[in-house]
Amino acid sequence: MRFFHLFIGMCLTSVALSQQIGEKNIQFIDYPDFPEGNSTWGDIGYNPVTDAVYIGVTNHKNKIGFYEYVVSKDQMTLKGFINELAHLRDFQWQGKIHSKITFDENGHVYFATDGGESREEYLMNHPHGYYGGYFMKWDPEVEEMTNLGMTMPYESIKNLDIDTQTGKIYAITYPQVHFIIYDPNTNTMEDLGRLGSAHVPRMTFTDKWGNCYYVDWRQRLVKYEKSTGKLVFARESLPAFEGTPGEVIITGIKSYTKDDAHDVIYLSTYGAKVLAFYPVKTGIGSVEELGALYDTEDIPLWKPHCPNMNLGLNGNLYYFIGGHGNYVKKDTTVMMELNPKTKVKKVVMMFPTSELSEVTGNGVRDSAGNLYFAGRKIRPKNAETPEGLPSIDDKVSIPFMIQFNPEKELND
Amino acid sequence: MIIREQMIEMKKRAWAQRYLLLMLGLLLFGMSDVSGQAKITQKNIDFIAYPDFPEGNSTWGDIGYNPVYNTVYIGVTNHKNNIGFYEYSVSNETMQLKGFINEMAHLRDYQWQGKIHTKIVFNAEGKVIFGTDGGESREEYLMNHPQGYAGGFLMSWDPENEKLTNLGVPMQYESIKDVDVDPETGKIYAISYPQVHFITYDPKTNEQKDYGRLGSAHVPRVIFTDKWGNCYYVDWRQRLVKYEKSQDKLIFARESLPAFEGTPGGFIITGITAYAKDTGSNKIYFVTYGAKLVELETQEHGIGKIRDLGAAFDFVDQPLWKPYIPNLNLGDNGKLYYFIGGHGNYVKDDTSVLMEMDPATLKKRVVLEFPTTEVSEVTGSDIKDKAGNMYFAGRKIQPKRKDAPESLPSIGDKLSIPFMIKFNPEKNIK
Amino acid sequence: MKNLLLAVVLFGTHLTAYSQYTFFTPEGSFAIEASLENTDMVRLPIYRNEITSLSVVGDYIIGGTSASEGLSPFVFTASLEERKMTEIFDLSGVVDGQQRIRSGFVKDEKGKLFAGTMPQNMESSGHLISVSLDKKKKIVVEDFGVPVIGEGIYALTSDPTNRVLYGLTYPSGYFFSFDISTRKAEVYKDLAPSEKVRFSLEDHFSVTAEDYLSRALIADDNGLVYGSLPYGILFYFDPKTKSLVETEEELPEVWGRRSLGQIHCWLKTSDGEIYGANRADGQLFKLNTATKKIKNLGKPIMMSGLAGLAEGADGKIYGVAGGYPGYGHLFSYDEEEGFVDYGNPQFNMVEPGIEQGIAWRGYQMETITASEDGKYIVIGEAEALSQLMVFQVK
């Protein structure tokens, strides 16, 4: 089932709106057969081998539905629930998939699981406590989930990446911020230790050589240098706006997307700065500032919340701003377009938070140039709210996938 | 009192007479063949080594025959943290290490496994099922400790794709001492250690059901199934407990299994040590920890009929409940074969004996003997290939001499070398 | 026998290492086979025998059980002197539709036992029952009715001086008093967990009412009745003012686990001291009833949970701590010695058909009590087939 609920009125409320991009460029695609699924968080990825997008949808408690969207069929299917597919018992409950969903050269799907709950951290070693997060591998051909095991007991896995050449997995744990390398071929795991402070930066990403990047508590890039098997630390912190608070620094990078053709990785920090990062095979590489994510309202430049980023085939960056109660316009999520060459940006669409309240997902683009995000809408519950709608706390919370193409109409 | 003493004296004499006859037989027919029946010699038996795992020092009942692939599977352990998974191809007569359990199942160091203690069983498609075990003192005492035991896993091996699937931990901190599988539904039955919980697990739906604790201070090690997929165990009184599949519930025998007078409580609570099935007649033969051979005529509903087949060994002057027999196989000739001895308990000094027992006539005989330096302990239940070859998991223990090569596997201060035993009473297999 | 059993254990487990412990098997200890399926002997049937209430009157151990879903519990007796079960009494013969007797037994001024029941489903209600033995030592159960309609009775205590029972209901957590003479209940809802608190605990921490309602109540010498509120907050009921008071005192916390705070058990010693335990992490504490302050005495073992306490004739407090997903330990505490961890008790069980004796090891120990003279400590298991384990205090 799919639904279109963009409001033309809302689209026309900003003078900065793009002339070309409209409601026909975007569609929201529902997740079927899991009525209690109420959230997603960055757990989306595009598999070029199967031409499919994979998403993990959670009830934010103990059940995660694993979805496949086949692009050619325009079809979203629930493939199963993680606990059942991976033979987990009740005491191994998982709150969500918080990692990106990534792929090896053969099209095998990799992701990791997360406690995602208050009970995760505090109830360690308790019957109700969190056992720990798992690496998982999905084989789309035989539709089989393989449990690749845990990192550290009691720790969640907040993100992972894969070196497609060696098959090694890179991961970040929560809350102890350990950088882990795991080789599923040999079952060897290396723990390179704690890299963060009181917060776990959520994002890792790799370059074309299979090096992996993260940040330390000063928001300096940390690179796992594959050729030496060592961590290399940037000397300087990533650029930040003046006045950026410490807790925004320690949270690191929030979103990224790669331009493989030009060896550029675009990043946005938790401090709402957009950067172009030019990786090199050995050493850290260089960083170019592309300015603020959003600078048209009278709010601190470091403040906007943007946990998503995609790169269109047209070379422009697309990202949604807003979420977690932090919006640049009251009760409104805005979608931005930024040309990294000219550094010109504009609002291309706006949505009331009751239709789109938060968007995650990084670097998810299919071969036809469609961009994908994991979206969610939150609405207050009222007397007429049907009982069957998924909710978080006292609000209705409905997750859906966003398909977007700035240059093509997606629906009629 | 006088009558009782006289009876004991008579029994002793009878034992002495029987043993004299036995010794006479040994003199007449040589050490390896002690009766006038079909001659069984060293040519009927073969010992097959496990390659490529020099530190592998033990096995324990973790052997099974897969009719779909005509292969035998065995788990060999270093008794610490590494278990080699072996496949013996009957047609090629080759033994091959397929990999190590921890690596193939993506277990981390803190999920160390001491051994496979379960039998190795198969579902209808020939997928291999087994469970893992702490097998170490640190398992039980360090629960909830960083070096403690996380718990045993159920595992499934796909011989076609050579892939091991981790089917998860039934109970935290608990080992899995035995498993069986209902070939019709694919449901796995398991017994946990040390809390003796009987568990069913359906890998297709990930549904697990815990039927609770069934034992006392010891965990009877063996479960087995009948042709309908019902599963059998024992309670602390050595009464059969049956998981009645059609009702999804446990039913308990009213009476304990037969036991010799004087069998200590410690031997009662340990239950059954080995079994073998006669699928043609729906009979299951088993041996108790109290060294009694028993026939169970299984039936789809209810416990079934029990027949006492007598002592596993009664040729020497020692309590009838004492012999130690953690293995049993049924030959194509309808006779039971079992090795007696192990864990320091032998019916003859430093000797393991291979017995033949005819359940039809209740006659038994020693067919082969081995010094413990060659065969010190044998495990395995009901492992027979299509050609009638039977398989056991054997081990030999030898004192470490000064000139013993460092590379030989050992347990404590002794060399401990595991190997597979292939035996056919009716065929020269060498 | 002990050596033989050790040998058997070593046989079976194929151990070569030396054991690092001995089981707690004091002289004179024994296990009573309380549960056995398919027998004519006096035994409790499978899945209806978790010993969740336990007391001793004279020579008789009196137990109340909890059953699995859809099944009824029992009251039973066993003789300490004869070391055997003497009677089982199916509660459904007096009160139908009940599943658990988990409140523990409390005594009125004449020593009659009272307990509360939990229904099989919330369409029924929990009852107050009394349990006594007639002249022939046969069990007599009397139904005292439903104190709060639609609620089970989760915890119960008594003030023998005024013939009043005090209880806490499930799932709403209402406090009630019940006059034994008039059989009238008064219900106090002031401190019942709010919807907001319930939502937070259930949705964010995945705990249930079983995990945040006080599992036990206790009355001090002044008649004040104590229990815990969600997040381990101490409350008391003042019968003089007929009011519930939320104190500022909280149960001892292991940092971050406040949401699991819950009274697991109480003990009032012969000298009027009150000891309690926090289920969250199994801390033992002492309550100063004058100041309403708690002194944390620490944890006897690493695992969480401390299900029961009993006072022995030797002046020591004996308790059972830990449990699922691990297994419980028996421990003792006194001010001189502190904690002593005895690990798993393992006692000899001699019964018809197993006259030679078998070893019974305690894993999931749910209840513990002392004989009236304090010379016997009795432990009740909570298993599929639960047994009684008894040892003598020197």
Side-chain angles (χ1 to χ4, degrees):
Chain A
M1 185 184 148
R2 123 192 354 266
F3 54 99
F4 307 99
H5 37 190
L6 304 178
F7 293 82
I8 294 168
M10 287 305 296
C11 292
L12 299 174
T13 50
S14 170
V15 289
L17 291 184
S18 162
Q19 297 303 305
Q20 293 82 26
I21 296 173
E23 65 175 285
K24 291 192 172 181
N25 295 93
I26 195 165
Q27 60 180 355
F28 294 171
I29 297 165
D30 224 350
Y31 303 117
D33 305 324
F34 184 25
E36 57 177 311
N38 59 19
S39 186
T40 49
W41 190 267
D43 47 344
I44 180 168
Y46 172 72
N47 188 350
V49 175
T50 56
D51 192 26
V53 180
Y54 295 87
I55 313 103
V57 179
T58 179
N59 68 353
H60 229 274
K61 193 172 180 184
N62 56 13
K63 212 167 184 188
I64 306 163
F66 185 63
Y67 284 87
E68 181 186 70
Y69 173 75
V70 178
V71 177
S72 57
K73 294 179 183 168
D74 188 18
Q75 191 177 54
M76 181 74 80
T77 315
L78 174 65
K79 305 311 284 185
F81 294 100
I82 300 300
N83 58 336
E84 290 170 10
L85 294 168
H87 306 287
L88 301 183
R89 302 300 189 273
D90 288 349
F91 67 87
Q92 294 161 318
W93 57 267
Q94 300 298 325
K96 65 170 82 163
I97 301 170
H98 189 289
S99 75
K100 66 174 75 67
I101 295 185
T102 188
F103 311 90
D104 67 17
E105 284 176 335
N106 302 315
H108 294 131
V109 185
Y110 295 83
F111 58 91
T113 62
D114 174 81
E117 287 233 357
S118 332
R119 65 173 167 152
E120 172 196 344
E121 199 169 335
Y122 311 127
L123 308 190
M124 180 189 296
N125 213 358
H126 184 277
H128 297 297
Y130 185 57
Y131 200 67
Y134 290 84
F135 294 129
M136 297 283 176
K137 175 184 172 183
W138 171 256
D139 184 339
E141 198 177 321
V142 294
E143 303 214 327
E144 189 178 73
M145 190 74 77
T146 298
N147 176 348
L148 296 177
M150 296 163 72
T151 56
M152 297 158 70
Y154 316 122
E155 292 273 305
S156 278
I157 304 169
K158 282 296 179 193
N159 216 331
L160 98 172
D161 252 300
I162 188 161
D163 174 358
T164 52
Q165 195 183 33
T166 63
K168 280 187 183 178
I169 293 169
Y170 304 115
I172 276 294
T173 75
Y174 171 95
Q176 294 192 67
V177 212
H178 279 228
F179 186 85
I180 305 277
I181 303 169
Y182 175 67
D183 187 341
N185 298 320
T186 61
N187 196 41
T188 47
M189 190 169 86
E190 197 178 356
D191 181 350
L192 298 184
R194 176 178 171 180
L195 298 180
S197 62
H199 190 89
V200 183
R202 300 297 201 255
M203 202 56 66
T204 59
F205 57 89
T206 50
D207 62 23
K208 70 171 180 180
W209 298 282
N211 301 304
C212 185
Y213 298 85
Y214 193 55
V215 285
D216 68 7
W217 58 91
R218 287 172 167 264
Q219 215 173 83
R220 303 187 311 173
L221 278 177
V222 181
K223 178 186 183 185
Y224 172 73
E225 193 133 290
K226 184 179 153 187
S227 59
T228 60
K230 283 184 179 169
L231 294 176
V232 179
F233 291 74
R235 201 165 180 83
E236 303 300 331
S237 299
L238 292 172
F241 293 111
E242 201 181 323
T244 305
E247 71 263 25
V248 174
I249 295 291
I250 61 175
T251 47
I253 291 164
K254 211 161 193 178
S255 57
Y256 79 96
T257 188
K258 296 180 192 175
D259 182 349
D260 291 333
H262 302 95
D263 281 346
V264 189
I265 300 171
Y266 297 104
L267 316 169
S268 85
T269 65
Y270 213 98
K273 204 175 250 294
V274 187
L275 307 168
F277 170 60
Y278 300 92
V280 288
K281 189 174 181 184
T282 49
I284 288 287
S286 59
V287 171
E288 178 193 1
E289 286 198 48
L290 300 182
L293 278 167
Y294 187 86
D295 51 14
T296 50
E297 304 286 336
D298 186 17
I299 54 171
L301 291 173
W302 52 263
K303 201 160 183 290
H305 177 67
C306 175
N308 63 85
M309 189 176 276
N310 269 325
L311 179 69
L313 284 177
N314 58 10
N316 291 335
L317 297 169
Y318 293 92
Y319 50 91
F320 293 81
I321 296 180
H324 274 60
N326 179 358
Y327 296 93
V328 291
K329 280 181 166 296
K330 189 169 185 302
D331 298 332
T332 304
T333 298
V334 298
M335 186 188 193
M336 300 291 296
E337 178 185 87
L338 167 66
N339 184 329
K341 290 197 176 68
T342 63
K343 300 183 186 176
V344 171
K345 58 180 165 285
K346 61 183 177 186
V347 174
V348 290
M349 276 194 240
M350 287 199 282
F351 306 88
T353 54
S354 58
E355 294 305 321
L356 184 60
S357 60
E358 194 157 60
V359 178
T360 58
N362 292 284
V364 191
R365 187 177 71 194
D366 70 20
S367 44
N370 300 310
L371 311 182
Y372 297 88
F373 300 87
R376 185 164 70 103
K377 60 181 172 184
I378 296 174
R379 293 171 181 171
K381 267 186 187 168
N382 58 35
E384 287 90 52
T385 304
E387 267 300 308
L389 285 180
S391 62
I392 292 180
D393 294 341
D394 58 348
K395 293 192 176 67
V396 170
S397 171
I398 300 171
F400 47 87
M401 189 183 78
I402 301 171
Q403 188 182 41
F404 171 72
N405 194 319
E407 300 175 294
K408 206 188 281 180
E409 290 186 359
L410 294 173
N411 52 63
D412 18 59
Chain B
M1 182 61 81
I2 294 168
I3 292 170
R4 183 178 157 76
E5 282 171 1
Q6 282 173 343
M7 283 184 71
I8 291 170
E9 191 53 37
M10 281 167 67
K11 273 185 185 171
K12 280 183 177 174
R13 274 188 219 141
W15 274 326
Q17 283 165 5
R18 276 183 227 168
Y19 199 69
L20 271 174
L21 284 172
L22 183 73
M23 290 300 104
L24 190 62
L26 287 172
L27 287 170
L28 288 172
F29 297 98
M31 287 301 286
S32 299
D33 185 2
V34 292
S35 81
Q37 300 171 52
K39 194 170 182 177
I40 293 172
T41 72
Q42 297 286 355
K43 289 182 177 174
N44 296 91
I45 196 164
D46 200 7
F47 296 167
I48 297 158
Y50 305 116
D52 306 324
F53 184 24
E55 56 176 313
N57 57 19
S58 186
T59 50
W60 189 265
D62 48 343
I63 177 168
Y65 171 72
N66 189 347
V68 176
Y69 291 88
N70 197 26
T71 45
V72 179
Y73 293 89
I74 313 103
V76 178
T77 178
N78 69 351
H79 229 274
K80 193 175 174 185
N81 56 12
N82 217 3
I83 306 164
F85 186 64
Y86 284 87
E87 181 186 78
Y88 175 75
S89 165
V90 175
S91 48
N92 298 333
E93 292 190 14
T94 51
M95 179 72 80
Q96 201 184 350
L97 174 65
K98 305 309 285 185
F100 292 100
I101 299 299
N102 58 339
E103 290 172 8
M104 294 193 293
H106 307 286
L107 303 184
R108 305 297 186 267
D109 288 349
Y110 56 82
Q111 292 164 318
W112 56 266
Q113 300 299 322
K115 66 170 83 163
I116 300 171
H117 189 289
T118 70
K119 68 174 85 62
I120 295 185
V121 290
F122 311 89
N123 69 12
E125 296 88 48
K127 283 201 174 157
V128 186
I129 311 282
F130 58 91
T132 62
D133 175 83
E136 286 232 358
S137 34
R138 67 174 165 154
E139 171 194 348
E140 201 169 333
Y141 316 132
L142 305 190
M143 177 191 297
N144 217 353
H145 178 279
Q147 274 83 51
Y149 184 57
F153 290 79
L154 295 172
M155 300 277 180
S156 168
W157 170 259
D158 179 351
E160 195 174 322
N161 298 304
E162 303 218 323
K163 183 174 188 280
L164 191 66
T165 298
N166 173 350
L167 298 178
V169 175
M171 288 173 76
Q172 286 188 76
Y173 314 125
E174 292 273 304
S175 281
I176 304 167
K177 282 295 177 192
D178 206 5
V179 294
D180 221 317
V181 66
D182 174 357
E184 190 188 43
T185 63
K187 270 192 188 174
I188 297 169
Y189 305 114
I191 277 293
S192 82
Y193 171 94
Q195 294 195 70
V196 212
H197 279 228
F198 182 83
I199 287 170
T200 62
Y201 176 69
D202 187 339
K204 290 175 192 151
T205 61
N206 199 41
E207 278 172 36
Q208 180 174 299
K209 202 165 168 186
D210 182 349
Y211 292 80
R213 176 181 175 184
L214 298 181
S216 62
H218 190 89
V219 183
R221 299 300 201 253
V222 173
I223 58 175
F224 54 86
T225 49
D226 61 22
K227 74 164 183 180
W228 298 279
N230 301 303
C231 185
Y232 298 83
Y233 193 53
V234 284
D235 69 7
W236 59 91
R237 285 173 168 261
Q238 216 175 82
R239 304 187 311 169
L240 279 178
V241 181
K242 180 186 182 189
Y243 170 74
E244 190 116 316
K245 182 180 152 186
S246 60
Q247 296 179 53
D248 182 25
K249 64 183 261 194
L250 298 176
I251 59 169
F252 291 70
R254 204 160 180 86
E255 304 299 331
S256 298
L257 292 172
F260 294 110
E261 201 182 321
T263 305
F267 281 64
I268 295 293
I269 60 175
T270 47
I272 291 164
T273 51
Y275 74 90
K277 296 179 191 174
D278 181 351
T279 46
S281 68
N282 295 334
K283 286 174 181 168
I284 297 175
Y285 299 99
F286 54 83
V287 56
T288 67
Y289 214 101
K292 204 175 249 297
L293 287 161
V294 179
E295 175 192 283
L296 169 68
E297 194 167 344
T298 57
Q299 54 196 48
E300 185 171 7
H301 307 293
I303 290 286
K305 204 186 289 175
I306 292 289
R307 185 163 73 107
D308 184 345
L309 304 182
F313 189 84
D314 53 9
F315 299 137
V316 294
D317 185 11
Q318 66 168 33
L320 293 173
W321 49 262
K322 200 162 180 289
Y324 182 59
I325 308 122
N327 63 86
L328 192 63
N329 267 322
L330 181 68
D332 277 352
N333 58 8
K335 291 174 183 169
L336 295 167
Y337 293 91
Y338 51 95
F339 290 82
I340 301 180
H343 275 64
N345 180 0
Y346 296 93
V347 291
K348 278 188 72 180
D349 283 349
D350 301 328
T351 304
S352 293
V353 298
L354 173 58
M355 298 291 294
E356 176 186 271
M357 198 271 185
D358 185 342
T361 63
L362 302 187
K363 284 184 182 163
K364 58 182 164 283
R365 60 173 178 148
V366 175
V367 291
L368 287 174
E369 290 186 8
F370 304 89
T372 54
T373 52
E374 293 307 316
V375 178
S376 62
E377 193 160 63
V378 178
T379 58
S381 288
D382 195 36
I383 309 132
K384 186 170 69 179
D385 69 21
K386 291 166 188 165
N389 301 309
M390 288 171 270
Y391 299 87
F392 300 87
R395 185 163 71 101
K396 59 182 173 185
I397 296 173
Q398 298 168 355
K400 253 189 198 171
R401 290 204 317 249
K402 279 183 184 168
D403 55 350
E406 270 299 310
S407 56
L408 285 178
S410 61
I411 293 180
D413 60 349
K414 293 193 174 63
L415 296 180
S416 172
I417 300 169
F419 49 87
M420 189 182 75
I421 300 172
K422 186 174 181 178
F423 171 68
N424 192 322
E426 300 174 296
K427 213 184 277 179
N428 180 348
I429 59 169
K430 275 187 174 162
Chain C
M1 185 65 198
K2 195 172 158 184
N3 289 339
L4 176 63
L5 285 171
L6 182 62
V8 169
V9 169
L10 290 172
F11 257 47
T13 50
H14 201 173
L15 292 179
T16 51
Y18 293 105
S19 295
Q20 299 170 27
Y21 69 106
T22 52
F23 288 115
F24 178 69
T25 312
E27 197 181 333
S29 61
F30 58 93
I32 297 175
E33 190 181 52
S35 307
L36 185 72
E37 182 72 355
N38 193 19
T39 180
D40 285 335
M41 292 185 280
V42 178
R43 298 289 186 272
L44 298 161
I46 195 166
Y47 305 135
R48 298 176 66 186
N49 56 63
E50 291 188 9
I51 303 167
T52 46
S53 291
L54 193 61
S55 190
V56 177
V57 175
D59 177 52
Y60 285 87
I61 298 166
I62 297 179
T65 73
S66 289
S68 298
E69 203 177 329
L71 300 173
S72 295
F74 283 88
V75 173
F76 68 87
T77 55
S79 165
L80 279 169
E81 192 181 337
E82 295 181 54
R83 302 184 174 189
K84 69 171 192 183
M85 289 286 281
T86 46
E87 190 183 356
I88 62 171
F89 184 100
D90 188 336
L91 189 67
S92 64
V94 173
V95 189
D96 212 7
Q98 302 303 304
Q99 186 179 339
R100 295 193 279 164
I101 307 170
R102 68 135 336 269
S103 65
F105 288 118
V106 295
K107 287 181 181 171
D108 70 3
E109 86 284 7
K110 291 176 184 163
K112 185 187 254 187
L113 299 181
F114 284 85
T117 67
M118 296 273 283
Q120 289 174 8
N121 57 63
M122 295 324 292
E123 287 160 16
S124 308
S125 306
H127 287 238
L128 285 168
I129 57 169
S130 73
V131 177
S132 54
L133 303 181
D134 67 12
K135 286 178 184 167
K136 291 181 177 172
K137 304 301 177 190
K138 300 292 285 180
I139 295 168
V140 178
V141 176
E142 189 182 350
D143 180 9
F144 275 67
V146 175
V148 186
I149 291 169
E151 295 280 318
I153 300 168
Y154 198 55
L156 193 71
T157 194
S158 67
D159 184 346
T161 59
N162 60 8
R163 285 182 59 76
V164 174
L165 302 173
Y166 299 101
L168 196 70
T169 72
Y170 174 94
S172 299
Y174 300 147
F175 187 87
F176 70 87
S177 64
F178 184 86
D179 187 313
I180 296 169
S181 306
T182 64
R183 303 195 176 195
K184 296 279 185 217
E186 288 183 39
V187 184
Y188 304 86
K189 300 183 178 178
D190 327 17
L191 296 184
S194 66
E195 276 307 308
K196 193 178 168 189
V197 165
R198 284 176 182 278
F199 181 80
S200 166
L201 287 165
E202 292 172 11
D203 197 70
H204 298 160
F205 292 97
S206 284
V207 293
T208 66
E210 296 232 0
D211 302 310
Y212 58 74
L213 295 179
S214 189
R215 288 198 169 203
L217 299 169
I218 194 90
D220 70 12
D221 286 344
N222 297 316
L224 299 184
V225 181
Y226 299 87
S228 65
L229 300 172
Y231 303 106
I233 296 165
L234 185 75
F235 81 90
Y236 64 87
F237 176 76
D238 185 343
K240 286 177 190 150
T241 59
K242 293 193 171 183
S243 60
L244 288 165
V245 179
E246 181 174 344
T247 73
E248 291 182 354
E249 195 70 354
E250 294 189 10
L251 306 187
E253 180 196 357
V254 165
W255 176 81
R257 292 158 71 100
R258 189 169 166 264
S259 57
L260 299 171
Q262 177 191 35
I263 288 288
H264 206 168
C265 64
W266 289 107
L267 171 73
K268 190 157 97 174
T269 60
S270 48
D271 57 6
E273 301 279 11
I274 290 183
Y275 292 86
N278 182 4
R279 180 167 170 259
D281 286 285
Q283 303 95 329
L284 182 71
F285 65 83
K286 194 172 179 181
L287 173 66
N288 183 328
T289 55
T291 62
K292 310 286 183 284
K293 292 288 177 193
I294 280 171
K295 181 184 178 185
N296 184 3
L297 301 175
K299 277 166 60 62
I301 66 169
M302 185 177 174
M303 279 177 283
S304 57
L306 201 164
L309 294 165
E311 184 184 16
D314 56 0
K316 289 182 185 175
I317 292 171
Y318 290 90
V320 285
Y324 189 84
Y327 29 92
H329 291 200
L330 175 74
F331 73 93
S332 69
Y333 174 82
D334 75 9
E335 285 191 7
E336 288 294 309
E337 205 175 34
F339 288 109
V340 177
D341 179 1
Y342 302 107
N344 296 150
Q346 182 167 294
F347 301 163
N348 197 31
M349 178 188 281
V350 178
E351 298 282 2
I354 41 173
E355 288 85 357
Q356 68 273 59
I358 65 164
W360 194 271
R361 181 174 171 186
Y363 293 113
Q364 305 300 333
M365 296 173 285
E366 183 69 18
T367 41
I368 185 168
T369 192
S371 58
E372 287 168 320
D373 60 8
K375 289 182 178 169
Y376 288 95
I377 302 292
V378 183
I379 300 166
E381 293 184 322
E383 303 273 11
L385 292 153
S386 313
Q387 318 300 352
L388 288 163
M389 304 186 73
V390 183
F391 67 97
Q392 295 176 39
V393 173
K394 283 176 186 165

